[in-house]
Amino acid sequence: MGFNDLELSERLLIARRGTAYLSQRLAELTDDELAGPTLLDGWTRRHLTAHIGYNAAALCRLMDWAATGVETPMYASTEQRAQEITEGATLSPAALRNLFAHTVARLDEKWRNLPESAWQAQVRTAQGRLVPAEETVWMRTREVWIHAVDLDNGGRFGDFPKVVLESLLDDIVGMWRKKDLGAGIALEIDGGERIAVAPDAEATHTVRGQLPAVVRWAAGRGAIGLDGGELTPPRWL
């Protein structure tokens, strides 16, 4: 069973757990440490904190779209999104923390107050996909859990709920297949399944390990405790 097969209330609970997990990682950082690097090339923790806050604000716009029927895109443009993050990274530590707390609370409020019928309303993601409004829960779940690791101060894929790990792997492999990438790669989960990225092609490289380690590698966050993790994975986002 994947994440989106769960009841909406369960999905919202996992998203909120991820937000709390991320909030704890952020709270453990001193203001000076916000200037330190993340696992994302070129981004400091300031950039990442700004991005997480503005992502919540963008999802609020999708919730408004679902509630009113008035098209409200996540971002005006890719350039606007990038500029927002760049400028957000220059905010004071207190302002950055406030941005995070305020936008997180606002998104949760939008989720709580959305009429039941509006959860199936069609909205458009930043990548241009039309999805039901309930997809915002998975979009945010993915953001908060992964970026808690990207802060690079103790977040671990091993702390993620299993359903999040499994759904992330489905997303990543699905995106590789859509982009025709990673055809020779097979993933082996210890004590579980073997996934060939291209089932009809011969696997020339196998990455093997526990589920959290395989997902971490596939998501481009490094190889820890893996066989075959020396290979650089294809990009998925």
Side-chain angles (χ1 to χ4, degrees), residues 201-230:
E202 180 185 357
T204 56
H205 188 92
T206 298
V207 177
R208 183 183 298 106
Q210 296 292 325
L211 179 62
V214 172
V215 177
R216 181 186 178 105
W217 174 85
R221 267 63 180 186
I224 298 175
L226 280 179
D227 290 332
E230 68 279 356

Side-chain angles (χ1 to χ4, degrees), residues 190-207:
D190 285 354
E193 62 184 322
R194 176 182 171 88
I195 303 166
V197 175
D200 297 331
E202 180 185 357
T204 56
H205 188 92
T206 298
V207 177

